[in-house]
Amino acid sequence: METQTAYSKPVRLKNVLAFALPTIVMSLFMSFYTMVDGLFVANLIGTQALSAINLTAPVIQLVTAVSTMLATGGSAVIMRKMGEKKETEARQDFTFLILVNVAVGLVMSVVGYLLTGRLFDNGLSPEVSGYCVDYLSRYLLFTIPILLMNNFTLYMIASEKATLSLICSVTGGVLNMVLDYVFIAIFDLGISGAALATGLGYSVTAVAGLFVFGRKSSLLHFTKPVPRFRVLANAATNGCSEMATALVTGIITLMFNWTMLRYVGEHGVAAITIIMYVLMFASSLYTGYSYGVAPMLSYSYGAQDHHKLKQLVSLSLKIIAVISLVTVVASLAATKPLVSIFAQPEDPVFALAVSGNRICSLALCFIGFNIFTSGLFTALSNGIVSAILAFSRSFVFMLITMLVLPALLGVTGIWLATPVAEGMALVLGAAMFLKYRTRYHY
């Protein structure tokens, strides 16, 4: 069968990249969804509106956290069953988990919409507060498509349809760019138009997935679901590390915003937003690779092919090292051009963002290894260890550095918080990697 042939190919750089490269490119385009919003908002509306997008990020990360948990955890569980030759059971679980996503999305959309007006009424100027409400209320209309998009993206990859997933992501990204201009510049919908453009861009993969997985010829396809709540619990537990990463990212973003408002004001929030875009774009390379190689890791683990698993891990670490070197050099070399896309040199935000990005870029030395290590344990169905790594990296270490470094170094401490936290996470990840090496034979 085609699927067995693809998963049984020898571990070579060419074969692994052929499987993961579409996911890397797709992840880059997914990061455009947020970056393009910021680009159009900053240039057509203003930096105050750009600050508003970052201020709504914690709520948006909550939606992302839930969808990521169900997607990554479910994919690992289902592909392990496929490796164990339990195809029928895997498809039943797949259909059940997709229905759970729809139900969860509906609840989150309604609750979020009801609470939106109460979230931004303290400590902000009326203009920025209004921008926040307008953006988030429109964004939440697309909660269900967002959850489906995150799930279908990974399941397409697992079903050897990574190229189709890439096409959907590129199409969605291009649609987002076009609609941003149309809604903001032509229809004058303001920041609401940016939210609508993003939601419609996400919906491309969601709609395509319904057609793809509705066909019986697909490796994974919809069938009569069997509500195995143990599978749901396993998927949630296994994907909780990725959920923790997304969730605490929102919390840390909130802390960054509060700290910047205290030390610099709303200009500081705009500056940190620009730097987050740069880090997000670079990190998407690591995330894309980790998502792309995860089904191969899960399949090899389920098939008890320890030799192939060891080869995959070894090659992956070398690929991550190369990507890390390239992204650090590129980010440092292109700092001013990158920042100038969002803010003019005479804007106070420009100088803040340039100095901050040069320091924060050091984090790119560590981020890739941390993302891959957490993803590795998720693929091996060890969600507990993965969650410890993700939670420590994204919350515990960031909390420590955000409390200590700004108090000692001021604004410079804010910029240093991310590189120092990622370095601490690298040490913990290496310790866990070595501890479980004999159990999983990688």
Side-chain angles (χ1 to χ4, degrees), residues 23 43 97 111 122 154 183 193 197 221 235 241 251 281 288 305 335 354 362 366 376 410 427:
T23 320
N43 287 278
L97 290 176
V111 173
N122 293 317
L154 293 189
F183 289 161
H221 55 258
S241 63
I251 297 173
F281 183 78
D305 191 340
T335 291
V354 168
L362 298 176
F366 316 120
L376 170 65
V427 175

Side-chain angles (χ1 to χ4, degrees), residues 58-80:
V59 181
I60 292 173
Q61 285 295 338
L62 177 60
V63 177
T64 303
V66 174
S67 63
T68 301
M69 173 191 70
L70 294 173
T72 56
S75 177
V77 170
I78 289 171
M79 289 314 298
R80 181 178 178 179

Side-chain angles (χ1 to χ4, degrees), residues 202-221:
Y202 281 137
S203 299
V204 171
T205 302
V207 173
L210 294 175
F211 286 99
V212 169
F213 296 113
R215 301 174 59 187
K216 300 297 183 183
S217 58
S218 177
L219 175 65
L220 289 175
H221 55 258

